[in-house]
Amino acid sequence: MIDFFLDLNPIVQALIATCFTWGMTALGAALVFTTKTLNQKLLDGMLGFAGGVMIAASFWSLLSPALDMAEADGIPAWIPAAVGFLLGGIFLWGVDKILPHLHPTSSIEEAEGIHPNQKRRSTLLVLAITLHNIPEGLAVGVAFGAIAAGFPSASLAGAIALGIGIGIQNFPEGVAVSMPLRRDGMSRRKSFMYGQFSGMVEPISAIIGVMAVTLIEPLLPYALSFAAGAMIFVVAEEVIPGSQEEGNKDLASMTLMIGFTVMMILDVALG
């Protein structure tokens, strides 16, 4: 099975991986067919777990390989890591200020971006999760692009582990979109459709990631670090605060540590 996957074009590999992550988003969104509400402690725990997975993936699957690649190129390893990491955060910060969106735990009055109140709540929720899924798709695409570029520190197992980890943390993201819409009175079918739609951007951004690093190989350490910085921005700006807003700080903190551990084991054991 691994040999078959290895023979595929890197774009196809990234598409398969991100279709899995998209499917996990849809699986989370599908919970609206079984219930109208979800226990807040369970949701906060899931969000904390997702944050831990993203933090671990940012280092083990992105920053660490970026440092190894930069060192192999004979340049100070910290330069591309620091530059790419900060640019990733700055990019997401800029998009966050421009794109109209609404965090799942916020009221419509707290919507962010340019002229957010001109949009429907459902659209704003989907745009928020879509924004957060962009760096995840990029990360998977860059990881598979690194394999195609022939970098020794890049491994197929590590890229697959990254896809699995991001897929696991996409489950609560699907829930976070579909459940609020269902509570607002939207039908189950529409709530599900909006929830899973937010994951559609991952295959698209994965293709961009693969093409960027295969066409311009020297940018790879910067691209990996960029994806890491963007993911950490999402965790710090949305995932961790969202998991603790209802007072479940200890639960969210412990599940974050569990999520970090799971992703670390996946990446180290498989990579």
Side-chain angles (χ1 to χ4, degrees):
M1 181 64 182
I2 292 291
D3 292 338
F4 167 77
F5 198 77
L6 188 59
D7 292 335
L8 295 175
N9 181 284
I11 292 180
V12 177
Q13 293 174 337
L15 278 175
I16 292 173
T18 47
C19 281
F20 165 73
T21 64
W22 180 9
M24 290 297 291
T25 305
L27 187 62
L31 288 185
V32 294
F33 292 112
T34 62
T35 181
K36 191 172 182 177
T37 60
L38 194 67
N39 182 277
Q40 189 62 48
K41 284 188 175 182
L42 177 59
L43 181 58
D44 289 345
M46 291 167 65
L47 286 173
F49 183 90
V53 168
M54 293 176 73
I55 293 172
S58 296
F59 177 75
W60 296 102
S61 299
L62 299 171
L63 276 177
S64 182
L67 291 167
D68 292 340
M69 292 172 191
E71 189 172 351
D73 288 340
I75 60 176
W78 60 267
I79 293 179
V83 172
F85 186 82
L86 291 175
L87 285 177
I90 292 170
F91 172 76
L92 257 290
W93 173 81
V95 176
D96 192 70
K97 294 298 181 184
I98 296 171
L99 185 71
H101 63 283
L102 175 67
H103 301 304
T105 57
S106 303
S107 63
I108 190 67
E109 291 78 17
E110 298 174 287
E112 301 175 7
I114 297 176
H115 307 305
N117 293 327
Q118 297 178 5
K119 305 285 186 181
R120 295 174 56 188
R121 175 178 170 83
S122 56
T123 303
L124 292 170
L125 281 172
V126 173
L127 287 174
I129 302 300
T130 299
L131 168 64
H132 297 167
N133 283 342
I134 291 173
E136 296 167 10
L138 280 174
V140 174
V142 169
F144 282 101
I147 299 168
F151 282 87
S153 58
S155 70
L156 178 62
I160 292 174
L162 177 62
I164 293 172
I166 289 177
I168 291 171
Q169 68 89 33
N170 272 6
F171 182 85
E173 288 189 351
V175 178
V177 176
S178 60
M179 284 299 177
L181 295 178
R182 179 61 183 152
R183 286 198 300 268
D184 289 345
M186 185 176 286
S187 69
R188 285 187 171 90
R189 185 180 65 83
K190 284 188 175 181
S191 298
F192 166 74
M193 291 303 296
Y194 275 113
Q196 64 83 31
F197 184 79
S198 63
M200 188 182 297
V201 71
E202 292 196 3
I204 298 171
S205 53
I207 293 174
I208 295 173
V210 172
M211 294 181 66
V213 299
T214 53
L215 293 175
I216 315 174
E217 291 185 16
L219 288 181
L220 184 54
Y222 295 91
L224 286 165
S225 303
F226 181 95
M231 288 178 67
I232 290 297
F233 179 88
V234 169
V235 174
E237 196 266 345
E238 167 61 17
V239 178
I240 292 178
S243 69
Q244 299 185 356
E245 283 183 351
E246 300 300 322
N248 297 313
K249 294 183 179 181
D250 290 342
L251 173 65
S253 298
M254 289 307 301
T255 54
L256 183 146
M257 294 183 69
I258 293 171
F260 184 99
T261 303
V262 169
M263 184 62 216
M264 179 179 64
I265 291 172
L266 277 174
D267 192 271
V268 175
L270 296 180

